[in-house]
Amino acid sequence: MIDVADHDGIALLTLDHGPVNALDRELLTGLAETLEAVADARAVVLTGSGRSFSAGVNLKRVIEGGAAYAEAFLPALHRATLALFDHPRPVVGALNGHALAGGCVLAAACDVRLMSGGSIGLTELAAGVPFPAVCLEVVRHAVGPALDAMVLGAGRLTPQQALAIGLVHELVEPEELLAAALLRANELCRAPSDVYALAKRQLHRPTHQRIGAARPLDDGEVLNLWSAERTGRTLREYLASLRRG
C-alpha cells in the first residue's frame, strides 16, 4: 500500500493503493506506521502512484461497513493526519494528481506542497459527510481564512487557484515533480533537526489547542452522522452521480 524508497536519507513514501489511492482504514493505518518507521530519515516526501495523490475516502467501504466501519475508520484518519502533521522532520507533499477530500487533508498536513496537475479540494459536504475536528483544523492551519469557502463550497480548485490561497506552494511539471520535492526537502534539512522540530511544534500549537477544544464537542456528532443510515443513502446517490458524470 505504501512504497518506501531512500534518497540520500530522505524517505520517499508513495501511496500505491488502487487506481486513485482511496483512503481506507488499512491505508491510513499503514501510513501512520510507516511514518513512525522512517522517524530517523532526514525528511519525508509523500506522493501518490498513478493519476492521483489521493481521491479521498473510499466511500464504498463506508457504505458497506456501516457504523462499525465508521467507528474504526475515523480514529485511523485522525491518527494518520496527525502523524503526518506532527512528524518532526521536514515533510513535503508531491501532489502528482487529484487530492480531494481526505486526500486534500493529507496534503494540507505536509509542511510544503508541490503540485503537478489534477484538482484539489474539500468535497465532503457534496458527498454528505461532516468534517472531523482534526481534519478541519489541520486544513485551517494551511489555508487560514480560505477554509470557509473550501468547506462550504465543497468544490475543486485548480492548481493555480490552490497556489493563490497558499494550499499549494509551487507548481511544477509532472516530470520534474519528484526531483523538485526532494530538492525542497533537502533545503528544509539545512536547519538542525531539533530546531526544526521545535519550530513545527510552536507553529502547530494553536491548531492543537483548537483540536483539543473541538473534539469533545464534535467527535460524537461526527461519528453519529458518518454512521447514520441517511448518510449511507446520500453516499450511494453521490457515487451514482459521479458515475453518470
Side-chain angles (χ1 to χ4, degrees):
M1 290 185 290
I2 302 172
D3 295 330
V4 182
D6 178 82
H7 290 260
D8 192 25
I10 297 173
L12 172 62
L13 309 186
T14 303
L15 304 177
D16 187 8
H17 191 49
V20 295
N21 298 312
L23 304 180
D24 56 20
R25 181 176 59 83
E26 292 80 8
L27 178 58
L28 291 167
T29 299
L31 177 58
E33 292 175 348
T34 302
L35 287 165
E36 184 176 348
V38 300
D40 292 333
R42 295 195 302 124
V44 171
V45 171
L46 179 66
T47 191
S49 62
R51 66 181 186 273
S52 293
F53 175 73
S54 172
V57 174
N58 187 329
L59 298 178
K60 187 177 180 181
R61 290 284 303 278
V62 176
I63 294 168
E64 293 173 347
Y69 182 78
E71 190 170 352
F73 172 79
L74 289 173
L77 177 60
H78 297 159
R79 181 186 174 198
T81 300
L82 291 177
L84 197 57
F85 187 62
D86 292 332
H87 191 78
R89 303 295 173 88
V91 178
V92 176
L95 312 185
N96 56 300
H98 299 308
L100 301 172
C104 179
V105 172
L106 293 185
C110 299
D111 301 343
V112 175
R113 298 165 290 279
L114 282 59
M115 193 169 190
S116 63
S119 58
I120 185 169
L122 300 174
T123 55
E124 279 82 350
L125 264 64
V129 292
F131 278 89
V134 168
C135 299
L136 194 69
E137 296 304 335
V138 165
V139 181
R140 190 193 308 276
H141 175 83
V143 301
L147 180 66
D148 285 16
M150 287 186 66
V151 169
L152 300 178
R156 301 185 180 200
L157 303 177
T158 65
Q160 292 76 15
Q161 290 170 322
L163 182 68
I165 64 171
L167 181 55
V168 169
H169 297 100
E170 184 180 350
L171 306 183
V172 295
E173 294 299 321
E175 64 273 14
E176 300 172 359
L177 178 62
L178 289 183
L182 290 166
L183 178 62
R184 182 66 71 93
N186 197 55
E187 291 171 349
L188 293 173
C189 290
R190 292 173 181 169
S193 59
D194 55 348
V195 174
Y196 192 92
L198 175 58
K200 283 184 73 167
R201 291 198 304 271
Q202 291 170 323
L203 291 168
H204 292 183
R205 188 174 296 132
T207 298
H208 279 287
Q209 290 171 343
R210 289 193 297 269
I211 289 171
R215 291 194 67 178
L217 302 174
D218 293 352
D219 277 7
E221 186 174 6
V222 167
L223 176 58
N224 288 339
L225 287 171
W226 273 76
S227 304
E229 290 185 12
R230 184 198 66 188
T231 300
R233 293 193 299 270
T234 302
L235 290 176
R236 289 187 184 91
E237 293 168 1
Y238 177 71
L239 291 176
S241 70
L242 294 179
R243 288 193 291 269
R244 290 193 298 267

